[in-house]
């Protein structure tokens, strides 16, 4: 029932790559990187300073993109203020989420040099989750705006 | 049966009102089964009753030998039979007692207890059963009767007793509810022997395997009978609703009060307007007292009774462990909008042969947990059970040879394989649930890192023991799972470097851990994760479930460290 084989050396693996089923094997000598996590599952759409990524299960991930002045500025983030009240969702149907429009202000970001920027929700719907990591790791918003520094996850309006 | 004068008077009254003799015996709660079967004894019974009421031969003269009741002319019915109620399905046999078309039926049982001696009825019944092609060595009979018969029973007993006008302890005994023997019991007493002769197998109430269900229905009659009670039950329901409202509207805010009241009113009015013959409504009616009931009467409609014959065999369970050698095989058939995604499924591959052999009408697949579509399941396999629903050929095929045959057929396809199968029963569900919640699982995956790997951190990670991780619900399942944080344990890690940016990672973790999210951190919603342990950005390519362990202990961890020699997943 089990196929007992010793894990082979690297050259043999590369050779066998051509012989065996291509679906099962990821060729290890690929130079270009395969798609990132956010590219594999999400359809990306960008506006001027923000983005909305739609997952294949129709949830929306939204945040600021790398062209946003916060990211481009030299100054660090002093404080991130969550302007909306925290509401916890319950259950599988995520009841109780905050209803937002795409221009509802979710965050007010204060930089060290005194500038203040508003970050909006980006899509209509109900907030499932705000990114809690931003409270402890403010620099995520600046360093990884399109991955770890996302702002919120939104569930589209139910039909 | 001992007859005294009050009994005889009541017997006579009921007999005059066109109740058949078997129904009268039921009402008098006679439990000697032979009295129901020996129909020749009815004439003597009538004679005895006649003597006591002072009119010896009258009842005997009026006796209809064929139908065990008083001879009566055909009476025009109170209501004309309309077309069938829409809930009667096609498989109902219209008028199984075809000899009974236009003659007056017993007002309580509507002919069911009168026609059970008809040979043509048995021939038709046996024909229906044999057509379905089952294998069996005994049978158990289940009977369902029309809902309205209990109402008719109460009504006619009360009417007769009030017409007699005398008080007697026997009359009080009879008119308490639920004293009479049920028609169902009576049908079984009468039918079991002749049916068992025709089918050539014994009838056994303790043998649950093969069941024959007879469902007698007369919806038209029942609907008309129940309709009468609509107003009085509505009154009682309204009263109860008022009392409920007083309790629910105990709030001070007047606006909230009117809102709630309107909402509850809307809900109440949405409920069905017609008073249908259901078990619920029957219970409401049986709570009425005799005074309230006296205003209602039996409605005569000459609908023939309809019969539905269904047969079923007890479900058969087969259990084993499966391994999945291919990717892109879903566990159960997956449809989106009517289209089938991914041709193969574990359920299809495993149960196809068994379904064919046992000729079951459908199959249910149960497993102890599941894996993603693109993940292989190796090692000792995942426990599963298939439930063959209503297997026609279940009796003779429950042997080890058949199981071996099924097993070799599945294994020959080289996509999904199973361990030696065994028969089991419903206790398997506890074990499957246990496996899903308690077992510790070992995985192997291929991981790519964005930056060059730091060997020291890899060494550190390999020393980890029982690391507690907190996982928020992964984004890829967030649309159908509750948003919450789950604590899981990584018992051990074994990381092997393939080249400067690629790793082969073996993970030993508690049940229910999302491994993919542990590796790529799911946008930092799983902490700690492999990216943070190796200070690198990691992504996962292939995942295999290697082995399931019962529980965690030292031996398991030692076995795990040498697991790559044992199972050698193909990278």
């Amino acid at each position: 029932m089990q196929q007992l084989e010793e894990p082979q050396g690297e050259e043999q693996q590369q050779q066998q790559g051509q012989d065996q089923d291509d679906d099962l094997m990821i060729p290890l000598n690929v130079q270009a990187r395969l798609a990132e996590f956010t590219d594999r599952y999400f359809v990306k759409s960008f506006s001027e300073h923000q983005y909305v990524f739609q997952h294949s299960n129709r949830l929306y991930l939204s945040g600021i993109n790398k062209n946003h002045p916060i990211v481009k500025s030299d100054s660090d983030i002093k404080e991130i203020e969550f302007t909306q009240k925290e509401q916890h969702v319950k259950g599988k149907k995520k009841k109780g989420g905050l209803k937002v429009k795409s221009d509802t202000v979710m965050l007010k970001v204060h930089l060290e040099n005194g500038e203040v920027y508003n970050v909006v929700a980006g899509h209509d719907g109900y907030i499932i989750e705000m990114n809690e990591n931003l409270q402890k790791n403010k620099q995520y918003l600046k360093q990884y705006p399109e991955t770890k520094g996302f702002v919120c996850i939104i569930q589209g309006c139910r039909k | 049966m001992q007859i005294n004068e009050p009994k005889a008077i009541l017997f006579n009254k009921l007999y005059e009102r066109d109740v058949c003799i078997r129904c009268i015996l039921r009402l008098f709660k006679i439990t000697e089964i032979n009295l129901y079967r020996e129909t020749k004894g009815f004439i003597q019974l009538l004679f005895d009753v006649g003597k006591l009421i002072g009119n010896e031969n009258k009842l005997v003269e009026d006796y209809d030998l064929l139908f065990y009741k008083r001879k009566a002319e055909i009476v025009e019915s109170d209501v004309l039979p309309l077309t069938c109620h829409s809930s009667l399905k096609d498989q109902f046999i219209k008028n199984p007692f075809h000899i009974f078309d236009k003659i007056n039926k017993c007002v309580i049982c509507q002919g069911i207890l009168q026609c059970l001696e008809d040979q043509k009825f048995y021939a038709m019944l046996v024909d229906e059963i044999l057509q379905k092609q089952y294998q069996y060595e005994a049978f158990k009979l289940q009977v369902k009767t029309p809902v309205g018969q209990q109402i008719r029973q109460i009504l006619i007993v009360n009417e007769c007793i009030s017409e007699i006008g005398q008080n007697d302890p026997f009359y009080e005994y009879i008119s308490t509810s639920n004293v009479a023997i049920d028609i169902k019991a009576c049908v079984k007493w009468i039918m079991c022997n002749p049916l068992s002769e025709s089918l050539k197998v014994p009838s056994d109430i303790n043998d649950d395997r093969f069941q024959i269900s007879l469902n007698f229905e007369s919806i038209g009659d029942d609907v008309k009978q129940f309709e009468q009670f609509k107003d009085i039950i509505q009154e009682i329901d309204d009263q109860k609703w008022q009392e409920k409202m007083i309790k629910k509207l105990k709030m001070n805010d007047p606006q909230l009060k009117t809102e709630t009241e309107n909402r509850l009113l809307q809900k109440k009015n949405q409920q069905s307007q017609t008073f249908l013959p259901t078990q619920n409504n029957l219970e409401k009616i049986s709570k009425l007292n005799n005074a309230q009931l006296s205003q209602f009467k039996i409605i005569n409609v000459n609908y023939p009774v309809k019969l539905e014959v269904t047969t079923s065999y007890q479900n058969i369970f087969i259990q084993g462990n499966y391994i999945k050698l291919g990717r892109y095989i879903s566990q159960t058939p997956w449809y989106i909008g009517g289209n089938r995604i991914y041709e193969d499924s574990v359920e299809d591959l495993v149960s196809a042969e068994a379904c064919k052999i046992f000729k079951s009408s459908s199959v249910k697949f149960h497993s102890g947990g599941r894996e993603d579509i693109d993940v292989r399941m190796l090692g000792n396999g995942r426990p599963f059970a298939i439930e063959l629903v209503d297997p026609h050929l279940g009796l003779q095929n429950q042997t080890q040879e058949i199981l071996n045959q099924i097993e070799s057929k599945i294994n020959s396809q080289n996509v999904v394989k199973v361990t030696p199968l065994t028969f089991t029963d419903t206790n398997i569900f506890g074990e499957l649930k246990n496996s899903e919640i308690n077992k510790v699982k070992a995985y192997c995956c291929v991981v790519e890192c964005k930056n060059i790997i730091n060997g020291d951190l890899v060494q550190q990670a390999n020393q980890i023991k029982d690391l507690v991780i907190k996982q928020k619900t992964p984004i890829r399942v967030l649309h159908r799972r509750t948003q919450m944080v789950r604590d899981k344990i990584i018992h051990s890690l074994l990381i092997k470097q393939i080249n400067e940016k690629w790793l082969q990672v073996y993970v030993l973790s508690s049940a229910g851990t999302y491994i993919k999210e542990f590796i790529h951190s799911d946008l930092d919603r799983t902490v700690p994760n492999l990216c943070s342990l190796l200070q690198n950005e990691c992504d996962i390519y292939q995942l295999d479930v290697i082995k399931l362990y019962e529980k965690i202990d030292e031996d398991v961890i030692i076995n795990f460290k040498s697991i790559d020699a044992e199972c050698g997943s193909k990278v």
Side-chain angles (χ1 to χ4, degrees):
Chain A
M1 195 164 79
Q2 300 167 8
Q3 318 243 353
L4 297 182
E5 262 184 29
E6 296 294 320
Q8 290 149 342
E10 197 190 344
E11 286 100 10
Q12 276 177 306
Q13 277 166 336
Q14 285 176 358
Q15 231 178 9
Q16 284 215 343
Q18 274 85 45
D19 298 335
Q20 278 159 346
D21 205 0
D22 277 320
D23 290 330
L24 300 181
M25 297 277 300
I26 305 291
L28 293 181
N29 54 0
V30 167
Q31 296 300 318
R33 279 202 78 215
L34 290 168
E36 268 194 47
F37 168 71
T38 42
D39 277 324
R40 264 192 282 147
Y41 291 118
F42 294 89
V43 170
K44 298 189 171 181
S45 68
F46 296 89
S47 61
E48 191 194 348
H49 291 312
Q50 298 201 208
Y51 65 79
V52 173
F53 296 163
Q54 183 180 10
H55 194 283
S56 48
N57 65 16
R58 282 168 290 154
L59 293 181
Y60 298 95
L61 194 74
S62 100
I64 62 171
N65 67 35
K66 44 186 195 281
N67 293 325
H68 198 285
I70 298 179
V71 181
K72 287 192 168 169
S73 154
D74 296 326
S75 166
D76 278 337
I77 299 176
K78 184 166 97 172
E79 188 197 330
I80 300 182
E81 187 188 325
F82 288 77
T83 50
Q84 304 288 341
K85 201 167 68 154
E86 182 83 48
Q87 272 185 338
H88 290 289
V89 288
K90 286 189 190 174
K92 276 193 206 174
K93 306 224 167 144
K94 325 289 180 302
K95 285 193 175 171
L98 183 69
K99 184 159 185 180
V100 293
K101 293 263 173 203
S102 32
D103 50 7
T104 313
V105 175
M106 305 304 304
L107 302 180
K108 265 203 164 81
V109 183
H110 301 259
L111 296 182
E112 291 286 351
N113 61 13
E115 290 169 355
V116 180
Y117 293 97
N118 284 346
V119 177
V120 296
H123 199 275
D124 294 349
Y126 299 85
I127 299 281
I128 296 184
E129 185 182 317
M130 302 292 296
N131 188 355
E132 288 165 4
N133 284 330
L134 291 180
Q135 285 173 348
K136 286 173 262 168
N137 298 320
K138 300 194 270 279
Q139 65 279 12
Y140 280 179
L141 189 60
K142 200 170 152 64
Q143 286 176 355
Y144 309 104
E146 297 183 13
T147 54
K148 290 197 257 198
F150 73 93
V151 171
C152 56
I153 305 180
I154 296 175
Q155 179 186 42
C157 285
R158 291 163 227 143
K159 287 176 196 158
Chain B
M1 164 173 141
Q2 298 288 343
I3 322 175
N4 54 24
E5 199 174 323
K7 275 193 193 174
I9 299 179
L10 185 57
F11 191 110
N12 184 35
K13 260 286 184 270
L14 289 168
Y15 188 67
E16 277 178 359
R17 294 299 303 274
D18 281 340
V19 179
C20 71
I21 294 193
R22 281 174 170 156
C23 278
I24 302 182
L25 292 178
R26 282 193 309 111
L27 290 171
F28 284 17
K29 205 159 163 69
I30 308 290
T31 48
E32 295 158 45
I33 301 183
N34 278 326
L35 271 178
Y36 293 89
R37 288 181 183 158
E38 300 295 316
T39 55
K40 298 190 183 121
F42 288 168
I43 294 194
Q44 183 62 39
L45 182 62
L46 288 173
F47 195 69
D48 292 336
V49 170
K51 257 204 307 207
L52 281 170
I53 61 170
N55 198 340
E56 273 181 29
N57 290 317
K58 176 171 179 281
L59 287 97
V60 177
E61 275 169 14
D62 277 347
Y63 181 51
D64 185 344
L65 197 68
L66 218 48
F67 301 115
Y68 318 128
K69 63 186 275 293
R70 187 177 66 109
K71 273 187 222 169
E73 292 168 8
I74 300 171
V75 172
E76 287 299 318
S77 56
D78 298 340
V79 183
L80 292 172
L82 300 169
T83 48
C84 291
H85 195 273
S86 58
S87 74
L88 283 177
K89 306 151 236 174
D90 286 329
Q91 64 260 33
F92 273 78
I93 301 168
K94 194 172 169 188
N95 200 0
F97 311 122
H98 57 280
I99 48 174
F100 211 47
D101 216 355
K102 290 193 178 102
I103 300 174
N104 277 333
K105 311 180 282 277
C106 164
V107 291
I108 303 183
C109 65
Q110 290 187 302
I112 295 176
L113 287 179
Q114 295 171 262
C115 294
L116 295 177
E117 269 74 29
D118 181 24
Q119 287 309 311
K120 279 194 190 166
F121 169 63
Y122 284 101
M124 173 210 70
L125 200 56
V126 167
D127 202 33
E128 281 282 320
I129 295 174
L130 289 178
Q131 249 180 23
K132 307 194 188 208
Q133 294 181 330
Y134 278 82
Q135 276 176 0
Y136 45 87
E137 48 186 23
F139 70 91
K140 184 173 174 179
L141 194 62
Q142 307 272 36
V143 178
K144 272 196 207 165
T145 47
V147 186
Q149 61 94 2
Q150 286 194 0
I151 306 225
R152 286 190 284 271
Q153 201 166 279
I154 302 176
L155 287 179
I156 198 144
V157 165
N158 284 345
E159 247 185 76
C160 289
I161 291 183
S162 55
E163 269 180 37
I164 295 178
Q166 295 169 10
N167 272 336
D168 189 276
F170 182 66
Y171 296 163
E172 280 193 38
Y173 171 62
I174 293 270
S175 44
T176 46
S177 52
N178 299 333
V179 157
I181 295 175
D182 204 352
I183 293 188
K184 303 194 230 301
C186 216
V187 170
K188 287 188 211 174
W189 288 338
I190 301 170
M191 275 192 75
C192 276
N193 283 345
L195 195 56
S196 116
E197 272 175 36
S198 313
L199 289 175
K200 305 192 181 61
V201 288
S203 146
D204 184 359
I205 48 171
N206 293 324
D207 186 347
D208 275 335
R209 287 174 295 167
F210 180 57
Q211 290 193 4
I212 304 177
S213 298
L214 302 178
N215 184 4
F216 290 99
E217 261 196 31
S218 71
I219 292 269
D221 274 289
D222 286 349
V223 164
K224 293 289 174 201
Q225 190 70 54
F226 272 68
E227 256 176 16
Q228 299 178 331
F229 292 87
K230 177 172 168 185
D231 293 328
I232 193 170
I233 298 288
Q234 190 98 38
E235 267 180 48
I236 300 181
D237 277 349
D238 279 343
Q239 265 183 344
K240 284 198 189 155
W241 192 78
Q242 289 293 341
E243 288 167 21
K244 254 195 194 173
M245 290 300 284
I246 298 176
K247 282 188 200 170
K248 280 197 175 177
L249 291 179
K250 271 186 189 167
M251 41 195 87
N252 291 326
D253 178 15
Q255 191 196 17
L256 190 57
K257 197 167 180 172
T258 36
E259 269 180 27
T260 328
E261 191 170 356
N262 287 339
R263 183 169 44 93
L264 290 169
L265 249 176
Q266 227 183 11
K267 205 176 170 188
K268 177 190 176 225
N269 288 338
Q270 267 175 4
Q271 285 164 4
S272 165
Q273 294 303 321
T274 48
F275 192 63
L276 291 171
T278 59
Q279 198 63 31
N280 249 344
N281 290 344
L282 179 67
E283 281 170 16
K284 288 183 192 169
I285 294 179
S286 36
K287 288 187 187 147
L288 298 172
N289 61 30
N290 289 344
Q292 288 165 315
L293 282 174
S294 58
Q295 54 182 295
F296 299 108
K297 57 191 181 78
I298 296 184
I299 305 222
N300 283 318
V301 186
N302 274 324
Y303 268 116
V305 158
K306 291 184 176 23
L307 171 64
E308 181 190 19
V309 181
T310 45
T311 44
S312 69
Y313 199 93
Q314 201 176 43
N315 292 352
I316 292 182
F317 291 83
I318 299 180
Q319 68 124 333
N321 287 357
Y322 75 86
I323 63 167
K324 189 167 93 169
L325 291 175
R327 298 187 197 265
Y328 301 106
I329 300 174
S330 56
Q331 200 173 59
T332 49
W334 190 8
Y335 294 92
I336 294 185
N339 297 325
R340 178 73 186 264
I341 321 277
Y342 297 123
E343 294 173 20
D344 281 332
S345 69
V346 176
E347 174 181 319
D348 286 341
L349 291 167
V350 163
S351 58
E353 185 67 17
C355 269
K356 247 196 306 184
I357 294 181
F358 284 87
K359 283 219 172 53
S360 59
S361 52
S362 67
V363 69
K364 291 187 196 168
F365 183 80
H366 312 279
S367 69
R370 54 177 190 264
E371 60 277 338
D372 281 346
I373 279 189
D374 54 349
V375 171
R376 290 189 300 176
M377 176 77 226
L378 308 170
N380 46 0
R382 188 183 293 277
F384 75 94
I386 53 175
E387 183 177 350
L388 297 160
V389 176
D390 195 21
H392 287 51
L393 303 180
L395 182 68
Q396 284 158 0
N397 283 333
Q398 293 198 28
T399 59
Q400 195 57 44
E401 289 93 51
I402 296 283
L403 284 181
N404 293 342
Q405 191 186 334
I406 297 177
E407 188 190 328
S408 50
K409 185 76 195 288
I410 300 175
N411 289 346
S412 66
Q413 291 174 11
N414 259 324
V415 179
V416 169
K417 297 196 177 188
V418 293
T419 53
L421 303 166
T422 51
F423 287 110
T424 178
D425 54 19
T426 48
N427 294 330
I428 194 66
F429 290 121
E431 286 179 36
L432 291 178
K433 200 71 188 173
N434 188 30
S435 162
E436 191 174 340
I437 299 176
N438 291 334
K439 287 199 178 185
V440 168
K441 297 178 185 150
Y443 302 81
C444 169
C445 49
V446 174
V447 174
E448 184 200 357
C449 299
K450 188 172 183 185
N451 307 315
I452 296 187
I453 298 167
N454 181 337
D456 294 331
L457 291 176
V458 170
Q459 286 302 317
Q460 253 186 4
N462 276 332
Q463 310 298 321
I464 282 177
K465 189 170 174 185
D466 293 344
L467 174 69
V468 176
I469 64 173
K470 290 186 186 309
Q471 299 194 294
K472 285 197 194 141
T473 314
I475 299 180
R476 64 185 167 98
V477 293
L478 190 53
H479 64 294
R480 56 186 159 88
R481 290 259 176 279
T482 311
Q483 154 79 294
M484 61 188 269
V485 177
R486 297 176 174 85
D487 286 351
K488 300 290 172 188
I489 306 181
I490 303 288
H491 293 290
S492 183
L493 279 176
L494 178 61
I495 308 180
K496 294 186 153 187
Q497 207 163 340
I498 300 176
N499 60 26
E500 57 181 24
K501 286 191 182 174
W502 290 78
L503 299 168
Q504 187 177 9
V505 180
Y506 293 85
V507 183
L508 183 69
S509 72
S510 58
T513 318
Y514 291 95
I515 296 294
K516 293 181 183 173
E517 276 66 27
F518 171 66
I519 304 289
H520 64 55
S521 92
D522 191 30
L523 304 181
D524 243 25
R525 294 166 78 249
T526 298
V527 286
N529 51 65
L530 198 66
C531 300
S532 65
L533 290 175
L534 298 183
Q535 302 288 324
N536 212 330
E537 277 183 35
C538 306
D539 207 355
I540 184 172
Y541 285 108
Q542 284 178 7
L543 181 60
D544 295 336
V545 185
I546 301 184
K547 202 164 172 179
L548 269 58
Y549 298 94
E550 294 290 325
K551 58 180 170 55
I552 187 76
D553 58 26
E554 286 304 317
D555 288 335
V556 168
I557 299 199
I558 295 172
N559 285 340
F560 173 68
K561 291 290 185 185
S562 56
I563 201 167
D564 54 338
E566 179 186 320
C567 82
S569 55
K570 281 186 276 190
V571 174

